[in-house]
Amino acid sequence: MTHDRSRPLLAGNWKMHQTLAEARALASAVAAASRELAGADIILAPPFTALAEVRRALAGSPVGLAGQNLFWEEKGAFTGEVSAPLLKDAGCSHVIIGHSERRQHFGETDASVRKKIKSALQAGLVPIVCVGESLGEREAGRTMDVIAGQLEGGLDGLDADEAGRIVLAYEPVWAIGTGRTASPDQAEEVHGFIRGRLEESYGGELSSCAIILYGGSVKAANTCSLFKEKDIDGALVGGASLEPGSFIEIVREAIKGRKERQ
Ligand code: PEP
């Protein structure tokens, strides 16, 4: 699945939720709605245990499948880990890398993010690479320094072809799962900054095509205003992607916001 900025990209991150039965019901509802949501690209990221179930439920629909994480080695004695080729084999087109919850609870660093991006690209997966500042960092006026550091550290050594195949997600840590969303202006400011950094590193052609998602308490009520911003190309949705009605409504609002922007 390749993306084009004219179509909003909505990815549902189910985190550590959904039994097989719940996953089947949720994915089936999204697959059924995807026919009338043809103006957007949709991806679901279930837990590893539900990948096969969700893949079956999405068969024949345009909805993509993503892993929530991977380990960078291809195979071997790494108990509990899942590699990029295994995700690809399970039917994934995408993989989330460097989510703040992984940075916070599981010691993910920019160096591990970099290795994971490389292995994902090598396996033909689209990495969705997350960056974002904490509340303390924002309040200390360090937002742009933090984002610049994460981009520099995470993308270091990627050539333009590799960088052109990743999707970035700006996810302010203070907005994830808190019900507190960045305002459209706050999000746009950082998205514009990210695009500017990509331009400095890889040139205008790449930066103008780059897909940059926003994540952090996205709900149907705040989606349209976010999607009117010129540098917001999609959303990574956590909590609100666990209920089919709210996720489908977010996709509709994203399509609407995008139309109002043009
Ligand atoms: C996320 O999981 O990336 C996320 C943004 O979660 P939420 O929408 O619940 O804030």
Side-chain angles (χ1 to χ4, degrees):
M1 192 188 261
T2 52
H3 304 292
D4 159 353
R5 287 190 67 201
S6 66
R7 296 163 59 76
L9 169 58
L10 288 303
N13 175 15
W14 293 0
K15 310 194 186 194
M16 200 169 70
H17 295 286
Q18 306 302 72
T19 62
L20 292 184
E22 289 163 349
R24 189 183 320 126
L26 178 51
S28 300
V30 173
S34 67
R35 291 175 234 300
E36 59 120 344
L37 301 170
D41 290 336
I42 306 172
I43 296 161
L44 300 181
F48 294 140
T49 48
L51 281 171
E53 194 68 27
V54 172
R55 181 191 199 176
R56 271 192 292 277
L58 297 179
S61 85
V63 180
L65 187 63
Q68 296 178 14
N69 180 35
L70 56 72
F71 183 56
W72 57 80
E73 293 291 344
E74 260 189 44
K75 58 166 92 164
F78 302 104
T79 303
E81 295 296 326
V82 173
S83 69
L86 290 179
L87 288 178
K88 186 78 184 165
D89 185 53
C92 291
S93 48
H94 294 68
V95 59
I96 299 170
I97 294 177
H99 192 282
S100 68
E101 287 155 14
R102 297 221 51 91
R103 293 181 191 254
Q104 234 177 313
H105 306 304
F106 303 100
E108 192 109 327
T109 62
D110 294 331
S112 62
V113 165
R114 187 163 64 235
K115 291 194 240 183
K116 290 181 179 196
I117 294 174
K118 283 266 186 194
S119 74
L121 289 172
Q122 215 154 23
L125 294 167
V126 177
I128 300 174
V129 182
C130 304
V131 295
E133 82 288 2
S134 67
L135 185 58
E137 289 163 341
R138 173 161 283 265
E139 286 176 347
R142 298 192 48 238
T143 297
M144 301 311 180
D145 287 346
V146 170
I147 302 296
Q150 290 173 341
L151 289 175
E152 221 163 274
L155 308 193
D156 186 37
L158 291 192
D159 62 27
D161 171 62
E162 293 170 317
R165 288 189 282 144
I166 70 175
V167 167
L168 285 162
Y170 168 53
E171 298 213 302
V173 178
W174 48 271
I176 298 179
T178 58
R180 198 176 154 187
T181 321
S183 69
D185 283 352
Q186 283 175 319
E188 173 60 23
E189 187 187 16
V190 180
H191 280 232
F193 176 78
I194 292 172
R195 210 175 289 289
R197 297 299 290 206
L198 291 175
E199 182 171 2
E200 280 167 30
S201 303
Y202 299 104
E205 201 179 322
L206 185 145
S207 72
S208 62
C209 295
I211 309 283
I212 309 174
L213 314 182
Y214 167 77
S217 298
V218 171
K219 308 260 178 295
N222 56 35
T223 301
C224 187
S225 58
L226 286 163
F227 277 76
K228 283 186 200 166
E229 297 295 338
K230 73 175 170 44
D231 289 304
I232 299 181
D233 306 307
L236 184 50
V237 185
S241 71
L242 292 173
E243 202 274 304
S246 64
F247 187 58
I248 290 163
E249 198 49 32
I250 285 171
V251 182
R252 272 200 205 103
E253 288 294 310
I255 295 170
K256 188 172 135 207
R258 178 53 49 89
K259 275 197 189 127
E260 289 179 18
R261 179 176 85 172
Q262 281 162 354

